[in-house]
Amino acid sequence: MSRLLIIGAGGFARETAQAVRDAGDLELLGHLDDNAVLHGTEVDGVPVLGGCDLVHGLPGARVVICVGNPGDYAARARLVRRLGLPADRYATVIHPTAAVSATSEVGPGSVLLAHCVLTAAVRVGAHVAVMPHVVLTHDDVVEDFATIASGARLGGGARLQRGAYVGSGALVREGTAVGAWSLIGMGSTVLGDVPPGEVWVGSPARRLRRAAAPALDELATRTMGEPVT
């Protein structure tokens, strides 16, 4: 059985730890978190072993990065770049209640929590966070570092570009694209394409403002062509 380190010790990391326990196919070693106050403590019975860079001292362990929130949903991308691990170090965590069709693909470092559904020919990239009760329908594409919060639904052929964040309960119309590092507010209804680096809210969703600085910084990094693992 492969051993696993979860980077992060917040809510998403705790949910992932529970998914690992429920699946029973990985041995969970503990959390790594840069918050020194947590070092040597336990979170839901799982030890916090130390800072994130300890991952280099445990080369035989698989890794999944479980950080980020609506205020800074670019955190996973920064950590992946900082740690510089090869793709084969990253595990993919799928809760046993998730329904993933045989024609769908899920990339390394991604997490699918309880009762997610991937219906047919769905492509999920690397380091994607898919929260409980998300439905991805035929031919959806979810690019690297995207986050889909609980209960969101994507119509067929929708595309979430790199780092996009879709809030809880949001609906994305079929064939629609949400631009890189844009954020869709919870409960919003997206009926048309959303440009990169913007926040859209409401039903139908409309532009509210530019995205926050961490997301715009990540968008600029990618635009300038800097390689991101």
Side-chain angles (χ1 to χ4, degrees):
M1 181 182 293
S2 296
R3 300 181 300 164
L4 179 71
L5 294 165
I6 295 177
I7 294 184
F12 176 33
R14 293 167 58 202
E15 291 175 319
T16 301
Q18 188 59 57
V20 170
R21 288 164 160 167
D22 291 346
D25 55 355
L26 292 166
E27 177 190 353
L28 181 54
L29 296 181
H31 296 278
L32 301 180
D33 195 290
D34 286 336
N35 183 357
V37 173
L38 296 176
H39 298 172
T41 68
E42 290 189 350
V43 178
D44 298 338
V46 179
V48 181
L49 303 174
C52 297
D53 290 323
L54 282 180
V55 70
H56 300 296
L58 294 163
R62 308 290 299 282
V63 180
V64 66
I65 296 179
C66 298
V67 299
N69 57 64
D72 183 7
Y73 49 95
R76 284 197 305 284
R78 293 198 306 273
L79 261 175
V80 167
R81 187 162 56 245
R82 169 185 147 189
L83 295 176
L85 299 175
D88 61 8
R89 280 289 306 274
Y90 288 103
T92 300
V93 175
I94 300 177
H95 193 278
T97 63
V100 180
S101 66
T103 56
S104 295
E105 302 175 1
V106 181
S110 291
V111 176
L112 275 59
L113 294 178
H115 304 290
C116 297
V117 178
L118 280 61
T119 62
V122 175
R123 290 193 289 127
V124 174
H127 308 289
V128 172
V130 183
M131 302 303 179
H133 293 280
V134 166
V135 177
L136 304 177
T137 54
H138 68 89
D139 303 303
D140 286 341
V141 175
V142 181
E143 296 185 10
D144 298 352
F145 302 109
T147 301
I148 311 175
S150 302
R153 306 285 193 268
L154 273 61
R159 187 180 194 99
L160 302 185
Q161 294 179 356
R162 186 180 183 87
Y165 187 107
V166 176
S168 298
L171 304 175
V172 178
R173 186 177 186 174
E174 65 274 7
T176 298
V178 176
W181 302 105
S182 283
L183 183 148
I184 305 301
M186 60 183 181
S188 298
T189 304
V190 178
L191 299 179
D193 291 349
V194 174
E198 296 187 355
V199 176
W200 283 47
V201 300
S203 185
R206 295 181 173 85
R207 185 185 189 276
L208 177 65
R209 57 175 171 80
R210 290 287 280 167
L216 293 180
D217 290 346
E218 197 63 39
L219 178 63
T221 295
R222 190 67 177 180
T223 300
M224 290 186 296
E226 179 179 330
V228 178
T229 303

